[in-house]
Amino acid sequence: MALHDAHPAVTDLAPPDDIDEAEVNILDAAHRVFLRQGTDGARMQEIADEACVNKSMLHYYFRSKERLAEAVFMRAVRETFRRFEPAMQPDVPFRDFVRDLIVADLAMMDDHPYLVGYIISELHHHPERWRQTIALEFPDGRTAMQAKLDAAIAAGEIRPITLLEFTTFLVSMTFFPTVGGGLVRAYAGATKEEWDAFLNGREAHFVDLCLNGLRPA
Amino acid sequence: MALHDAHPAVTDLAPPDDIDEAEVNILDAAHRVFLRQGTDGARMQEIADEACVNKSMLHYYFRSKERLAEAVFMRAVRETFRRFEPAMQPDVPFRDFVRDLIVADLAMMDDHPYLVGYIISELHHHPERWRQTIALEFPDGRTAMQAKLDAAIAAGEIRPITLLEFTTFLVSMTFFPTVGGGLVRAYAGATKEEWDAFLNGREAHFVDLCLNGLRPA
DNA sequence: GTCTATACCTCGATAGAC
DNA sequence: GTCTATCGAGGTATAGAC
């Protein structure tokens, strides 16, 4: 990559095969460190060590910690929302739609346990960054979800519920347990064994609770 | 407070009327700043400004940022769990118990919007600190909750559910919407008006969804 | 107990040789 | 593109007068 565009806006990242290999390597390392330590807690030196490159390289490719953090944030959000897309296909029945969303969420949290906690934490301190990113990454989420919901309500499959209520319900049920896992574990006094059993059974359990909660009165 | 015990372990904080007024003032300021900025993002100077005292006073009373952060964390957790206690009384019917818990949670989030996000964020980076604090602050949460649950299940009021499943369900439904509010808002494409309407109606809505989800099949 | 001044250090960022 | 060396800001913490 030529020097004059070595610091592209993070929103303009080219497709993978067009990006310098070293750049991807640094981004991967930064991803791991920022997710572990949080943006403020992370150190550029630690990211450099994790990427096995010199600290100067970080600035060469991303100019500043701020920009590097933004690139990592964008990628984390993209990764999160990418998981939802398959469930959104219009011909999937509502029950399966709910199940697919829950399964996708849980799979993501198994693959990337820090991801949701990181996003929530960043959201907490940089709310303005969030809005902008979502608009960019997931512009038409509303339409697909709303269509699904309208059809299910019209068919009498579920009780009337707004898109916002439904989304909050679903996201809360699937995202929170892993994020606040420690809190709930301690609060309910669960042992490691009980918690593992809960995690293993949560897929069926969540689908059940959600569908039961939504069924017409 | 005499000099020789000006730096007590944060777990040994004396009752309010025994604590130096300046100390409480600093703790209050630190609470506000740490919750806004996160522990790593917070600056001692900003806390001093917020408390209208000299930066040296922070070190005089709490010796280090680390200890001050620990004191703030303990207090935040204590504040959170204190809200649950009234609902735990044994003679409250199950429906009211659920409603009281939800109302208490939501009231807390209205009073202290940053509290849950802060705790989750800290939990994320200092998991070891958490376990210890819970054991100290809320040692018998399990017994009271389990008794409630057993009675309701035995009476056929709700479907069989473990304490861990129930707690996760309840906490997820009440804590998450405020914490991840921005996420859900953006995802569902809600306007400010829709979101406010949702917040206003969420008490009835959550109680309804929870009780409906829990009712026997 | 409260202030000023400052020591000491870590970190992000840059300069400049190669 | 990659290295070494270093700058300078800003951070925590402390010394010491009052």
Side-chain angles (χ1 to χ4, degrees):
Chain A
M1 183 176 275
L3 236 180
H4 70 278
D5 62 351
H7 304 130
V10 288
T11 53
D12 294 330
L13 284 178
D17 60 344
D18 199 359
I19 300 184
D20 193 307
E21 204 176 292
E23 196 172 329
V24 179
N25 176 39
I26 289 172
L27 198 57
D28 285 341
H31 182 92
R32 291 193 294 275
V33 174
F34 278 133
L35 261 66
R36 271 203 313 263
Q37 318 274 64
T39 302
D40 290 328
R43 297 291 153 237
M44 294 294 267
Q45 185 58 61
E46 190 174 350
I47 295 172
D49 292 346
E50 183 98 12
C52 298
V53 299
N54 192 285
K55 201 173 54 165
S56 303
M57 291 296 94
L58 273 50
H59 289 97
Y60 176 76
Y61 282 106
F62 293 92
R63 191 153 69 202
S64 68
K65 184 184 179 183
E66 171 81 16
R67 275 175 183 263
L68 183 52
E70 196 178 338
V72 167
F73 182 74
M74 295 284 286
R75 172 201 254 205
V77 174
R78 197 176 302 130
E79 168 75 9
T80 304
F81 280 100
R82 196 181 53 73
R83 304 261 181 161
F84 298 158
E85 283 170 22
M88 296 291 186
Q89 301 313 309
D91 52 347
V92 180
F94 192 77
R95 282 193 80 88
D96 297 340
F97 165 66
V98 169
R99 197 204 53 223
D100 288 351
L101 277 184
I102 291 175
V103 170
D105 285 0
L106 297 181
M108 183 186 66
M109 293 193 295
D110 286 338
D111 295 347
H112 305 287
Y114 284 106
L115 200 57
V116 178
Y118 163 76
I119 290 176
I120 288 178
S121 189
E122 287 303 299
L123 222 174
H124 196 221
H125 304 306
H126 309 284
E128 71 295 339
R129 182 187 275 171
W130 180 253
R131 279 294 211 171
Q132 184 182 337
T133 303
I134 284 286
L136 226 79
E137 292 296 322
F138 207 73
D140 56 355
R142 184 181 188 128
T143 320
M145 292 279 280
Q146 186 69 65
K148 286 268 173 211
L149 213 51
D150 289 345
I153 293 169
E157 212 173 337
I158 61 170
R159 60 175 53 195
I161 186 171
T162 68
L163 177 61
L164 193 52
E165 286 167 345
F166 174 72
T167 312
T168 305
F169 181 53
L170 214 58
V171 171
S172 298
M173 286 298 300
T174 52
F175 276 2
F176 193 89
T178 299
V179 178
L183 189 158
V184 175
R185 274 184 69 182
Y187 182 65
T191 64
K192 179 87 171 68
E193 288 72 29
E194 286 172 321
W195 180 249
D196 287 343
F198 170 71
L199 286 185
N200 288 332
R202 74 199 159 146
E203 185 180 307
H205 169 243
F206 286 165
V207 174
D208 201 46
L209 262 180
C210 285
L211 290 174
N212 197 43
L214 290 171
R215 69 179 173 174
Chain B
M1 185 176 273
L3 236 180
H4 69 278
D5 60 352
H7 304 131
V10 288
T11 53
D12 294 328
L13 285 178
D17 59 344
D18 197 1
I19 300 184
D20 192 306
E21 204 175 293
E23 196 172 329
V24 178
N25 177 39
I26 289 171
L27 198 57
D28 284 341
H31 181 93
R32 290 193 294 274
V33 174
F34 278 132
L35 262 65
R36 270 203 313 264
Q37 317 275 61
T39 303
D40 290 327
R43 298 292 154 233
M44 295 294 267
Q45 184 58 60
E46 191 173 351
I47 295 172
D49 292 345
E50 183 99 12
C52 299
V53 299
N54 192 285
K55 206 173 47 166
S56 303
M57 291 295 94
L58 273 49
H59 290 97
Y60 176 77
Y61 282 106
F62 293 93
R63 190 154 68 203
S64 69
K65 184 183 178 182
E66 172 83 16
R67 275 174 183 263
L68 183 52
E70 196 178 338
V72 167
F73 181 74
M74 295 286 286
R75 173 202 254 207
V77 174
R78 197 177 302 128
E79 168 75 10
T80 303
F81 281 100
R82 197 180 55 72
R83 304 261 182 160
F84 297 157
E85 283 169 22
M88 296 290 186
Q89 300 314 310
D91 53 348
V92 180
F94 191 79
R95 281 192 81 86
D96 297 341
F97 164 67
V98 169
R99 198 204 53 223
D100 289 352
L101 276 185
I102 291 175
V103 170
D105 285 359
L106 297 181
M108 184 185 67
M109 293 193 295
D110 286 339
D111 295 347
H112 305 287
Y114 284 107
L115 200 57
V116 177
Y118 164 76
I119 290 176
I120 288 178
S121 190
E122 288 303 299
L123 221 174
H124 196 221
H125 304 304
H126 309 284
E128 71 296 339
R129 182 188 273 171
W130 179 253
R131 279 292 210 174
Q132 182 183 338
T133 303
I134 285 286
L136 226 80
E137 292 297 322
F138 208 74
D140 55 356
R142 185 183 187 125
T143 322
M145 291 278 281
Q146 186 69 67
K148 285 270 175 210
L149 213 51
D150 289 345
I153 293 169
E157 211 173 338
I158 61 170
R159 60 174 53 194
I161 187 172
T162 67
L163 177 59
L164 194 51
E165 287 168 344
F166 174 72
T167 312
T168 304
F169 181 54
L170 213 58
V171 171
S172 297
M173 287 298 301
T174 52
F175 276 2
F176 193 89
T178 298
V179 177
L183 190 156
V184 175
R185 275 184 69 184
Y187 182 65
T191 65
K192 179 88 172 66
E193 288 69 32
E194 285 171 321
W195 180 250
D196 287 342
F198 169 71
L199 286 185
N200 288 332
R202 73 198 159 146
E203 185 180 308
H205 168 243
F206 286 165
V207 174
D208 202 45
L209 263 180
C210 285
L211 291 173
N212 197 43
L214 292 170
R215 70 179 171 174

